[in-house]
Amino acid sequence: MSTIQLDDIRVEFDTPSGKVVAVNGVTQQVPSGGFVSLVGPSGCGKSTLLAVISGLTRATSGQVAVGGKAVTRPGRGIGVVFQEESTLPWRTVQENVQFALQIAGVDKGEQVERANWAIDLVGLKGFEKSYPSMLSGGMRQRVALARTLALEPGVVLMDEPFAALDQQTRIFLGAEVRDIWQRSQQTVLFVTHDISEAILLSQQVWVMSYRPGRIIDVIDVDLPEHRDASIVSSPAFNQLHNRVWSSLQEESKRGFRQQETRT
Amino acid sequence: MSLAARRSASAMRGHENVKEIAGSAGLALVALVVWQVASGLTFVIPTPVETLRVLVANLGDPAYLTDVRATAVAVVSAFTVGTVLGGIMGLVLGLSRWARLIFEPLVIALNGVPKIVLYPILLPIFQLSGSKVVMGILFALFPVLINVATGVREVPAVYWKLGRSVQASRVQMLLHIILPTIRRPLLTGIRLAASLAVVGVVLSEFFATRRGLGRVVLQSYGHGDYAEMVATILLLIVVSFTVSIMLWRWEKRIR
């Protein structure tokens, strides 16, 4: 069971211009096997919250627990897919996907077996021997996804994994991520600034405010389990989109104003 | 890539190779002609044929080979120690903010010092045979140090995050992330270290040593034996040139 439990999380950063509260008073839960998207204006602390859950950043106060165990540092049960280009250019696709397994000391035969499974899962079969430089941005992000999935973590955290990709690739990859999730029963927290993406993929959408980041709205996505692109034009989808957008709009404006007064 | 595309790409690479070899051969021919012409203008420069004859004769002479061996051993030791030492210092400088704050100005200042002026100080400490190795190390050290330090600082932040998220140990981090990331600047540093180790050792041998090619050059100059002098210089150039080219080709091949 891999429930993500957040209890009154607060994260402060020291910057040259003083202390910044990035995240404040976040108490939420992602049920085991659930898929939650986190949306918010840029600079609102979405990525910070994700880093806290992954154990890469320590919360200033509050508790994070995954599967009932407090998170204080990165662990094998939690996989992260980064926004930035994170494939290793000197390794082939196969070697990239085996990276985390190799670090974990998994024996060679099992490394290959699990990597093959993950490569197949993300649709990269036939590209095992390619180097990342030979692949498109979307395919490289699949490699990063496969690297994380190969560890078979109970929780997968995705930090705007498709932000650098074009719209079509985003939609394709999003559908695949949802497909993989439905088969794997992993718990997923997906950070994005794309409202449609958030609604299409998840069971629940959390809306985060501008700094200090708080969860200001939680919206259950009561769309059918099987979703394709045509659902975007349905009234139910539009209603959800409007609700998320109206929550977000205020915050985005506030964010702009604060950034303007600061400069 | 389709098979046809791959084939034409490799054909293109083959074509490039032919061009490269033709270019090098052409350049070598021009150099030979210039050399031949120059040798007719001044008695200091022997003809290419004469030089080659002396060189071959030298390589059959045990006394000369002792000098070759003395220089070779000094260069290889200086290169090895300089690269390892420079690499370790570069890693520390690149990884530790404190080490950088304290030692970076020192390193930059020391690199600016004409190292050969230190030779008279090294001599009484390391003796005749050790001083040239130390000088070679001083020459070889800095390019590796500076390239590694800069390379480490430019390791993308996401690689550090990746390493931490999969709980890589320090050693794993070094072997699987840092060293592969800095492979290019590291190899450039090693290539420069190889040629600078030669410079440091031979330069030292010009000043004071018992055996070595630098001494041979200086002695044949003193005796007016210009064929011997040029043949030895040629040997030094050809060997350093070959090593540099090999390292450079390796550098170009890596991903």
Side-chain angles (χ1 to χ4, degrees):
Chain A
M1 284 287 120
S2 299
T3 311
I4 303 173
Q5 188 75 50
L6 303 173
D7 188 14
D8 200 18
I9 302 293
R10 179 181 170 91
V11 186
E12 294 169 0
F13 286 125
D14 287 318
T15 68
S17 50
K19 192 187 284 176
V20 168
V21 182
V23 175
N24 194 24
V26 172
T27 301
Q28 289 293 333
Q29 181 185 321
V30 185
S32 185
F35 195 128
V36 170
S37 284
L38 179 58
V39 297
S42 45
C44 74
K46 305 185 291 281
S47 296
T48 305
L49 187 60
L50 207 74
V52 167
I53 300 169
S54 69
L56 288 170
T57 301
R58 289 292 293 271
T60 310
S61 66
Q63 288 283 325
V64 189
V66 167
K69 268 180 62 186
V71 176
T72 51
R73 59 194 190 86
R76 303 233 190 276
I78 304 170
V80 191
V81 183
F82 301 102
Q83 174 180 359
E84 304 98 312
E85 178 65 60
S86 67
T87 53
L88 307 173
W90 58 89
R91 285 175 170 244
T92 61
V93 167
Q94 177 85 32
E95 290 162 348
N96 261 289
V97 176
Q98 279 172 221
F99 174 74
L101 299 166
Q102 186 189 352
I103 296 291
V106 172
D107 71 62
K108 192 76 208 231
E110 199 186 335
Q111 274 183 38
V112 173
E113 203 174 295
R114 284 167 72 173
N116 285 342
W117 166 79
I119 286 169
D120 196 21
L121 202 62
V122 300
L124 280 176
K125 224 181 174 76
F127 292 95
E128 289 89 345
K129 292 196 170 65
S130 305
Y131 284 90
S133 59
M134 300 155 92
L135 305 176
S136 65
M139 285 165 88
R140 284 202 291 268
Q141 209 51 314
R142 281 169 202 253
V143 175
L145 181 61
R147 178 177 61 203
T148 302
L149 294 174
L151 278 173
E152 296 182 76
V155 168
V156 180
L157 305 173
M158 301 200 207
D159 187 6
E160 304 199 41
F162 310 144
L165 308 178
D166 61 83
Q167 187 67 21
Q168 289 96 313
T169 312
R170 284 182 84 120
I171 293 171
F172 271 129
L173 273 178
E176 275 173 31
V177 163
R178 189 173 154 82
D179 200 44
I180 291 168
W181 162 73
Q182 280 176 324
R183 282 185 282 162
S184 73
Q185 298 181 311
Q186 282 161 323
T187 310
V188 179
L189 184 59
F190 188 96
V191 168
T192 178
H193 56 250
D194 185 320
I195 301 172
S196 299
E197 190 172 67
I199 296 170
L200 259 175
L201 296 185
S202 38
Q203 298 175 312
Q204 197 174 67
V205 177
W206 299 352
V207 181
M208 204 166 188
S209 70
Y210 187 73
R211 235 176 253 161
R214 290 169 299 111
I215 304 295
I216 47 169
D217 203 358
V218 172
I219 299 145
D220 285 313
V221 180
D222 44 5
L223 293 173
E225 276 300 298
H226 179 76
R227 301 172 192 175
D228 55 33
S230 67
I231 209 161
V232 177
S233 49
S234 72
F237 184 91
N238 272 320
Q239 222 168 14
L240 285 163
H241 195 284
N242 287 341
R243 164 122 181 242
V244 177
W245 178 232
S246 58
S247 296
L248 208 52
Q249 215 169 13
E250 282 305 304
E251 287 308 318
S252 299
K253 278 187 197 153
R254 199 163 68 84
F256 278 133
R257 275 199 300 274
Q258 285 195 13
Q259 274 167 351
E260 265 165 27
T261 51
R262 209 178 299 139
T263 50
Chain B
M1 223 189 292
S2 78
L3 205 63
R6 204 172 300 169
R7 204 173 294 144
S8 89
S10 87
M12 197 129 78
R13 220 171 297 133
H15 200 66
E16 298 255 291
N17 272 345
V18 170
K19 268 196 210 163
E20 210 175 287
I21 291 166
S24 309
L27 202 64
L29 197 69
V30 170
L32 265 179
V33 169
V34 170
W35 184 0
Q36 180 70 43
V37 170
S39 69
L41 299 177
T42 163
F43 69 94
V44 177
I45 304 174
T47 63
V49 175
E50 170 67 5
T51 308
L52 197 68
R53 194 192 58 76
V54 174
L55 183 59
V56 171
N58 277 345
L59 292 177
D61 176 4
Y64 190 83
L65 286 180
T66 312
D67 286 309
V68 171
R69 200 174 307 123
T71 300
V73 167
V75 168
V76 170
S77 327
F79 166 71
T80 312
V81 176
T83 302
V84 171
L85 215 61
I88 292 171
M89 288 164 78
L91 274 179
V92 172
L93 220 61
L95 290 174
S96 154
R97 207 162 54 89
W98 288 112
R100 190 184 320 161
L101 279 176
I102 298 166
F103 293 113
E104 188 159 57
L106 198 68
V107 165
I108 288 171
L110 276 180
N111 189 31
V113 169
K115 293 159 201 73
I116 196 68
V117 302
L118 299 174
Y119 197 53
I121 302 172
L122 297 180
L123 272 175
I125 306 173
F126 297 102
Q127 316 298 327
L128 274 179
S129 51
S131 297
K132 61 181 177 185
V133 177
V134 176
M135 188 51 65
I137 293 172
L138 284 180
F139 269 82
L141 182 84
F142 287 97
V144 180
L145 193 165
I146 291 167
N147 274 300
V148 168
T150 316
V152 168
R153 246 169 267 166
E154 281 165 10
V155 171
V158 69
Y159 287 179
W160 292 105
K161 282 199 283 182
L162 172 65
R164 287 181 56 212
S165 78
V166 299
Q167 292 172 290
S169 68
R170 278 161 189 269
V171 175
Q172 286 176 325
M173 203 63 207
L174 183 69
L175 292 181
H176 296 300
I177 301 276
I178 297 172
L179 288 181
T181 305
I182 65 167
R183 64 208 178 281
R184 272 175 229 274
L186 176 63
L187 259 179
T188 307
I190 289 175
R191 178 166 55 84
L192 293 173
S195 42
L196 285 174
V198 179
V199 174
V201 168
V202 175
L203 206 54
S204 303
E205 288 175 348
F206 279 166
F207 289 97
T209 194
R210 222 166 274 128
R211 304 225 64 121
L213 291 178
R215 187 200 58 101
V216 172
V217 170
L218 207 67
Q219 212 164 52
S220 41
Y221 167 76
H223 296 162
D225 187 354
Y226 294 124
E228 167 105 345
M229 181 180 85
V230 174
T232 306
I233 292 174
L234 186 70
L235 178 66
L236 284 168
I237 291 176
V238 167
V239 171
S240 330
F241 186 76
T242 310
V243 171
S244 280
I245 289 283
M246 274 162 48
L247 285 170
W248 179 65
R249 295 198 74 118
W250 184 26
E251 212 175 304
K252 277 208 314 191
R253 264 216 327 270
I254 57 167
R255 284 180 183 279

